[in-house]
Amino acid sequence: MTPSSPLAAVRDEIRALASYHVADPAGLVKLDAMENPYELPEVLRHELASLMANCPVNRYPTAGADSLRQRLREVMGVPAGCDLILGNGSDELIQMLAMVFNRPGAVMLAPEPTFVMYRMIATFVGMPFVGVPLKADFSLDEEAMLAAIAEHKPALVFLAYPNNPTGNLFDARVVQRIIDAAPGVVVVDEAYFPFSDTSFLHTLDRQPKALVMRTLSKQGLAGLRLGFLVGGNDLVAELDKVRLPYNINTLTQIFAEKILERVDVLIDQAAAIVSDRELLAARLAELPGVEVYPSAANFILCRVADAAACHQGLKQRNILIKNLHGSHPFLENCLRFTVGTAEENEQLFAALAAILGA
Ligand SMILES: *Cc1c(COP(=O)(O)O)cnc(C)c1O
């Protein structure tokens, strides 16, 4: 790099980052990213096609996406006195939260290992991040969390509920005590709500410090990029100030609104995934040397003797999964499998059995 290189002007924290790696899934059975493996019903797809044919793409999107927000309010049961704000995926909402709460001296805090975007986005916006280790069984270390909250007085706490990549659901009473103790805002990230059926949404009208974040990504609409954040009106109004005016594109708005008329389809698909998750978990547990962790999400975390070898062997058999080895000391030799269709799960099981010589 010459002294005049423009790279010299890039912030050091950004230069030090590796870009977010997404594996090329071409031709592979894709069980790496917690997508719903099912398609939408054909009738619905035809309706979407005609909506698309008439979509006014020459115009900017409806800025506040009011009609979609209203539909989400009803479908998700947002409490009175609360409002919701939409994001281009919940990743964008995390970014907005970080921008809004990143006052001088403020920190973001989350247990770890957890969803990596919290820490990444803190780095993007220059907000200090405090990671508090989970216990070895991946439950919240209440004492350590409360001590860290007392010490760092975080402006923002993120709790993924259920947690990714571990799959477990934290104890709701501990989550509540963290909300009570935190001086700032606690975001309960319910990205996997469709598979856990447990939520803090109904508590929001009586605790203004809590926010609930959801996404349609894991539920079958990952390609649309639509997340939403629910909280008290006043707080949501502040967050809305940093939302870029047209962050939800027109196609996402009209498609999501239409698909939410058939939320029963998404709910049925999630129910199938949950029952297949239990089957897959039980079968994986029979394999030699595989430790299966309990999951309330649409993926399963396992520990094996050699994660890299399993990951590579599965790839050779055209199955793409996530190798978590190296991402956190607690995830040594851990693999994460998204629950696919029954057929895909069978392929995964057979391939893994072959690799492990079972
Ligand atoms: C996948 C995931 C998200 C992000 O979802 P979007 O696709 O950006 O809506 C947020 N939180 C957790 C815990 C996740 O696993």
Side-chain angles (χ1 to χ4, degrees), residues 212-242:
V212 165
M213 191 165 68
R214 298 255 185 103
T215 174
L216 299 185
S217 294
K218 314 293 153 70
Q219 203 167 6
L221 308 179
L224 290 186
R225 308 301 297 130
L226 185 66
F228 59 100
L229 185 70
V230 185
N233 291 326
D234 296 350
L235 189 52
V236 170
E238 293 302 317
L239 288 160
D240 198 47
K241 294 176 186 173
V242 302

Side-chain angles (χ1 to χ4, degrees), residues 120-199:
M120 277 175 59
I121 287 171
T123 305
F124 296 167
V125 306
M127 186 172 193
F129 180 92
V130 175
V132 180
L134 292 169
K135 290 191 186 167
D137 66 356
F138 302 132
S139 63
L140 283 169
D141 187 337
E142 180 175 359
E143 216 177 297
M145 285 294 287
L146 295 179
I149 287 169
E151 182 186 346
H152 300 283
K153 304 183 177 52
L156 257 183
V157 175
F158 281 96
L159 296 172
Y161 183 81
N163 192 36
N164 171 18
T166 58
N168 59 312
L169 194 64
F170 297 139
D171 183 335
R173 291 160 302 183
V174 179
V175 171
Q176 184 59 57
R177 289 197 283 271
I178 289 169
I179 296 171
D180 294 339
V185 162
V186 177
V187 182
V188 183
D189 180 351
E190 299 184 354
Y192 298 97
F193 164 75
F195 316 99
S196 77
D197 254 341
T198 312
S199 178

